[in-house]
């Protein structure tokens, strides 16, 4: 089945130690999104790639970066994680303005 | 700016009872509207969407939703709830512009009692 796959499902890192989360898709969608979801809250869009064009949300901290080396893969880099960055990170994809399809997320813990 | 309100944080219904989850949105033009469901520790699964046309839309798992422009609402309904429907439900609005950015409501947690 075509899908959105996030690795790892659980990630533990140390305060201030860079971490990278991975997302891959077999849907051949041209738009990929990264959301942050904190406990008992709605997902919040961090940024998205529309094809190769990167679109950052105005309130996304500089600590968060993203890379999309090809259509299938997208990475979320957190340069210096703080305790407040502990959350579920969700990757989603869409074909242009179509419905977004989500992966199962990566739960990030900060020690 | 667009926004979504889900007035009910928690709802508890008995198995077999009907369900209605409320969603109100604020947006200047005709929005794209979505309902997603999230089970604990999982990602979001699309239940149904409204883009245009028939205001009553059918989704997966027996869910339906009705778009009412005059009330700026997009309520989710199911005639008979199953225990497996217990989850968190998110309503979202997407503007008809570049990239289809979604704005989510705060979510409604559904509990099903047997």
């Amino acid at each position: 089945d075509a899908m959105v796959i996030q690795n790892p499902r659980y990630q533990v890192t140390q305060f201030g130690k860079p971490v990278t989360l991975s997302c891959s898709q077999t849907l051949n969608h041209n738009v990929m999104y990264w959301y942050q979801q904190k406990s008992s809250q709605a997902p919040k869009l961090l940024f998205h790639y529309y094809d190769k064009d990167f679109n950052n949300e105005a309130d996304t901290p500089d600590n968060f970066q993203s890379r999309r080396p090809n259509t299938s893969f997208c990475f979320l880099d957190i340069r210096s994680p703080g305790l407040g960055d502990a959350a579920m990170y969700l990757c989603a994809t869409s074909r242009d303005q179509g419905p977004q399809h989500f992966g199962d997320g990566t739960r990030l813990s900060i020690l | 700016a667009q926004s979504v309100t889900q007035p009910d944080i928690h709802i508890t219904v008995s198995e077999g009872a009907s369900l209605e989850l409320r969603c109100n949105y604020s947006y200047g033009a005709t929005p794209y509207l979505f309902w997603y469901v999230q089970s604990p520790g999982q990602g979001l699964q699309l239940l149904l969407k409204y883009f245009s046309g028939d205001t009553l839309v059918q989704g997966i798992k027996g869910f339906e939703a009705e778009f009412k422009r005059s009330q700026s609402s997009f309520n989710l309904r199911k005639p008979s709830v199953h225990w497996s429907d217990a989850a968190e439900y998110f309503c979202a609005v997407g503007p008809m512009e570049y990239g289809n950015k979604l704005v989510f409501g705060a979510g409604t947690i559904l509990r099903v009692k047997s």
Side-chain angles (χ1 to χ4, degrees):
Chain A
D1 287 343
M3 52 200 309
V4 181
I5 301 167
Q6 291 189 245
N7 285 307
R9 291 296 312 278
Y10 301 92
Q11 176 74 56
V12 181
T13 192
Q14 293 178 337
F15 182 93
K17 184 174 182 180
V19 65
T20 294
L21 309 183
S22 167
C23 177
S24 64
Q25 54 128 341
T26 59
L27 297 162
N28 201 31
H29 284 170
N30 60 328
V31 190
M32 295 187 76
Y33 310 77
W34 279 104
Y35 290 85
Q36 180 192 64
Q37 185 180 26
K38 295 190 174 180
S39 183
S40 302
Q41 296 184 20
K44 178 179 176 296
L45 183 65
L46 294 173
F47 27 57
H48 72 280
Y49 274 94
Y50 199 115
D51 297 317
K52 294 182 180 180
D53 294 332
F54 178 70
N55 298 273
N56 199 31
E57 292 301 296
D59 56 356
T60 297
D62 292 339
N63 201 24
F64 291 82
Q65 306 283 320
S66 186
R67 296 171 283 134
R68 188 179 186 186
N70 53 54
T71 300
S72 301
F73 285 86
C74 195
F75 300 98
L76 170 62
D77 300 307
I78 308 177
R79 291 191 297 187
S80 181
L83 297 178
D85 296 329
M88 173 80 89
Y89 290 88
L90 297 167
C91 175
T93 72
S94 72
R95 164 63 56 190
D96 297 316
Q97 294 175 351
Q100 294 183 23
H101 298 259
F102 285 79
D104 283 337
T106 294
R107 183 165 296 282
L108 178 66
S109 299
I110 313 295
L111 298 180
Chain B
Q2 59 268 23
S3 65
V4 178
T5 301
Q6 293 180 245
D8 305 303
I9 299 174
H10 297 99
I11 281 187
T12 300
V13 299
S14 298
E15 192 169 15
S18 63
L19 170 70
E20 182 169 31
L21 302 182
R22 295 182 291 163
C23 172
N24 293 95
Y25 67 90
S26 173
Y27 185 63
T30 300
Y32 291 164
L33 293 160
F34 307 84
W35 275 99
Y36 285 87
V37 60
Q38 185 177 35
S39 297
Q42 303 294 317
L44 278 71
Q45 182 182 20
L46 180 66
L47 286 175
L48 47 76
K49 61 186 184 292
Y50 172 78
F51 283 3
S52 65
D54 192 347
T55 57
L56 183 63
V57 294
Q58 302 296 321
I60 62 171
K61 304 186 179 186
F63 286 92
E64 66 176 28
E66 186 170 12
F67 170 58
K68 293 185 177 180
R69 184 188 303 275
S70 61
Q71 298 177 18
S72 297
S73 69
F74 189 58
N75 294 348
L76 181 71
R77 299 194 294 252
K78 186 169 185 178
S80 178
V81 169
H82 188 263
W83 65 267
S84 61
D85 293 324
E88 188 161 17
Y89 292 78
F90 291 95
C91 181
V93 60
M96 296 171 63
E97 63 184 46
Y98 187 81
N100 191 30
K101 292 158 53 176
L102 291 179
V103 173
F104 287 87
T108 297
I109 296 172
L110 172 65
R111 298 191 180 106
V112 180
K113 58 182 181 180
S114 55

